[in-house]
Every structure is written in structure tokens, then in C-alpha cells.
Amino acid sequence: VIKCKAAVAWEAGKPLSLEEVEVAPPKAHEVRIKIVATAVCHTDAYTLSGADPEGCFPVILGHEGAGIVESVGEGVTKVKPGDTVIPLYIPQCGECKFCKNPKTNLCQKIRITQGKGLMPDGTSRFTCKGKQIYHFMGTSTFSEYTVVADISVAKIDAAAPLDKVCLLGCGISTGYGAAVNTAKVEPGSTCAVFGLGGVGLAVIMGCKVAGASRIIGIDLNKDKYAKAKEFGATECISPQDFKKPIQEVLAEMTDGGVDYSFECIGNVGVMRAALEACHKGWGVSVIVGVAAAGQEISTRPFQLVTGRTWKGTAFGGWKSVDSVPKLVTDYMSKKIKVDEFVTHTLPFDKINEAFELMHTGK
């Protein structure tokens, strides 16, 4: 058993608490990882807020991390101690019907236990002050050591800087893949990206790599425009600057609507606007943002009858074990940006400050 520091969420709506936790050794088909770097994501904040119906407490949150394999359980063949890895919240077992289908990346092998905050055998590897602590998204990267299923880990280039590539564990991969895999943006097309946080910037990067000729960024926070343009946005607008709905504004700007739109916020009203901002006959809108539980999307069926397509994406459609090492290689060969997404680097004990920075849009 390893004793180490972890940021524990004891209950919903309270700041994380830095505690000494015990991390049990990996069982069969499990891997124990020394986490070197982790990022914070809105999904962590969503669960911490208490709005997540799958949220269990007490829990160790975090799902964008990178580290070194410390030890492996029986039967683990893909990684060994000393390997550099990224934990994966969407695993890839290679055996379930989802893994065997080229149309999806949603491996279901450990979905049920993962959703309950437990390892595949139905137990936890974390304890603190004599209490069992739940896992989160199969990763729990807010701990100096974590245990994951062997199908939830990608072995990456040992030379990769872990404080950067940890972002490929969720946000950057999600946005980039939404453009190149889910929407399959074509050269010369016009795109609209709603929400210019980390995921939105990654979508812009994907649209640019795919050869889009016009990329319109949409956000209420104008402080985000300069960064969006750095990533490839050709122009940025705020819905507050117009008297009419933003979808009408976009239709006028683009002679009838955009070819591709992306919702990167998780707001069902914006999801509708993003669909309706698409061009009649061929426009495609991708939902990337995760809305709160129980919310529903609406539009007039005529929007779809007249040739628009509404799609969604999780982790950018990447089959995780196969794709994450390639994304790291693409970053190392400067094909995709990662460093530019990092705004602040804080010590682990300032994790609550990191959440504050995220909430204030900094």
C-alpha cells in the first residue's frame, strides 16, 4: 500500500481537501500509476457541484492526467513499470461490440462499475481516514498515485512533457476529434464554434488543420478572442452585440448558414442555435459540451427534414488506446498545438485555485 497526497472531494459543493490517502496495490488487469501532472476540466467541477446524477462521494476527481507506471497487477501485458502513460476515461478493450465497430469509440467493458466509482471488480483502491474513497471516471488523477484498469491506459512517448500532454487525456483530444473525426470538416468550408474555452480552441485547431477557410468563434467573453484567433479563428462575435438571435446573425454572415457548427458549452439553448446556424441541405452540427442531467434539446423537425444533421461526440471519437499515443506523436512533431492551451501551472496544493481560475474564465 502506498501512502500519498490526494485532493479528496468529501461532499458536493465543498472545496477539495488535500489529504493523505492509502492506495492499494493493483489487482489482476490493473495498473498503478504515479501521476506527474493533471489538468482541471469542467467535468470535474460539474460532479463536484452535486449536479451529476452519477456523482458519488467521497471521491478523488480528475481525468486529465499523465504519469509513470509504478506497478502492474497479474495478467497485464501492454504496459510495465517505468512506462510513460496517460489514463483514459473511455477505455478500449478491443473485445466488446463497441470496440469492434469502427463507427464508435464508446467501449462498454467497464462502463457500469466505472459509473459507480469502482474498479471492475466492484471495489475501490483508495482509503482515507478509514473510509473508502470512490474512483472517478476510471482515472482519479487528483492523487499522487492512482489505480486504473489495464484497458484504461495508453502508453506514450517517454520524451513527452507530462505537464503538457496530460491535456490530451480529455479536452484537446475531444475538441480536435470533434472537427476531424465526428464532423469530418472539409477543406474550404465555413465553421462556427460556440464557446471558446479549451475544448472550443481545440475544435478551432481541428477545423484549421482540416482546411476550413472561415472559422467563426462565438463567446460572451471577449477576452477569449485573441487566443481564438491565435488558434485559427478568422473572426469572433458575441451574441450580446446583436438584437436578433445568433443563428440569424450567422446565417446573414455566411450566405445562409455555416457548413459545420460545434457547441462546446453544454447549454441546450446554444445547442439549438448551433444547429439552426447550419446551412440548409448539408449543414452539420456537433454537440461537444455536456449538458446538466435531465435537460432536453429542441428544434423544429423541419430543420432536419431540410437537410441539417445533428450529431454528438465523446472524446472526439478517438479509439483511446490506439489514438492517444498518435496524438502525442502529432504534438511532438508540431502537427497539433498543446503548450498554447496551458495558461497557469500551479503546485498540487493550490488545486482549488485552479478551479477558481477555470470558473472565472482565466
Side-chain angles (χ1 to χ4, degrees):
V1 174
I2 288 178
K3 287 187 176 181
C4 68
K5 273 196 304 190
V8 177
W10 287 106
E11 53 184 302
K14 293 275 164 70
L16 301 177
S17 174
L18 226 61
E19 307 280 1
E20 183 180 78
V21 298
E22 293 84 40
V23 185
K27 295 189 184 177
H29 295 287
E30 294 178 2
V31 179
R32 187 159 60 180
I33 303 167
K34 179 183 205 288
I35 297 288
V36 175
T38 186
V40 297
C41 171
H42 274 284
T43 313
D44 303 308
Y46 167 62
T47 298
L48 185 59
S49 74
D52 181 357
E54 268 198 348
C56 335
F57 295 89
V59 65
I60 295 172
L61 299 169
H63 63 283
E64 287 185 332
I68 312 289
V69 174
E70 177 273 333
S71 58
V72 299
E74 193 189 326
V76 175
T77 54
K78 300 252 172 80
V79 294
K80 60 187 188 305
D83 283 349
T84 304
V85 294
I86 289 177
L88 307 166
Y89 72 90
I90 294 183
Q92 186 186 352
C93 71
E95 294 162 3
C96 70
K97 67 180 178 183
F98 287 79
C99 282
K100 286 181 171 161
N101 190 321
K103 295 177 182 174
T104 183
N105 62 329
L106 298 175
C107 174
Q108 296 296 294
K109 183 83 179 257
I110 58 173
R111 179 72 201 97
I112 294 177
T113 49
Q114 181 173 315
K116 290 178 178 164
L118 299 167
M119 292 301 289
D121 72 346
T123 63
S124 167
R125 300 291 161 270
F126 297 120
T127 48
C128 180
K129 296 178 178 171
K131 289 197 178 89
Q132 171 186 284
I133 309 289
Y134 287 106
H135 293 250
F136 177 68
M137 289 175 75
T139 53
S140 289
T141 60
F142 293 172
S143 174
E144 291 178 325
Y145 287 86
T146 189
V147 179
V148 304
D150 63 353
I151 58 171
S152 303
V153 63
K155 182 182 169 179
I156 62 160
D157 183 343
L162 301 187
D163 61 330
K164 306 294 192 294
V165 296
C166 61
L167 292 170
L168 292 169
C170 177
I172 298 179
S173 305
T174 298
Y176 181 61
V180 299
N181 296 334
T182 310
K184 296 188 167 61
V185 171
E186 294 165 318
S189 54
T190 299
C191 303
V193 181
F194 292 77
L196 301 175
V199 174
L201 294 176
V203 170
I204 290 172
M205 176 170 77
C207 292
K208 189 180 178 184
V209 167
S213 60
R214 196 171 173 195
I215 304 167
I216 306 164
I218 300 120
D219 202 297
L220 298 172
N221 183 350
K222 294 186 178 178
D223 295 342
K224 301 200 167 187
Y225 294 177
K227 196 84 166 168
K229 286 178 179 164
E230 223 177 280
F231 276 86
T234 51
E235 61 223 278
C236 294
I237 57 174
S238 167
Q240 285 173 335
D241 291 344
F242 303 94
K243 295 268 194 305
K244 57 180 73 164
I246 193 69
Q247 52 267 54
E248 290 178 28
V249 174
L250 285 161
E252 282 174 19
M253 285 171 67
T254 58
D255 185 27
V258 298
D259 302 311
Y260 301 97
S261 71
F262 301 85
E263 199 278 356
C264 308
I265 301 161
N267 177 312
V268 292
V270 178
M271 289 173 190
R272 177 173 190 160
L275 175 79
E276 295 177 0
C278 281
H279 202 288
K280 186 179 190 171
W282 63 76
V284 174
S285 186
V286 181
I287 293 174
V288 194
V290 178
Q295 296 203 314
E296 296 183 351
I297 47 173
S298 61
T299 190
R300 292 191 176 150
F302 193 68
Q303 293 284 335
L304 302 178
V305 170
T306 52
R308 292 171 192 82
T309 303
W310 219 345
K311 301 178 89 168
T313 187
F315 196 53
W318 301 106
K319 291 211 183 248
S320 59
V321 174
D322 292 343
S323 305
V324 169
K326 291 179 186 151
L327 289 165
V328 170
T329 303
D330 284 348
Y331 156 66
M332 300 292 275
S333 60
K334 300 203 162 29
K335 189 186 162 193
I336 59 171
K337 291 179 157 84
V338 174
D339 298 15
E340 293 81 353
F341 285 87
V342 180
T343 55
H344 298 74
T345 303
L346 296 152
F348 187 30
D349 55 14
K350 298 265 171 75
I351 191 160
N352 287 309
E353 280 179 40
F355 275 87
E356 283 301 305
L357 287 163
M358 180 173 66
H359 288 307
T360 54
K362 291 178 183 167

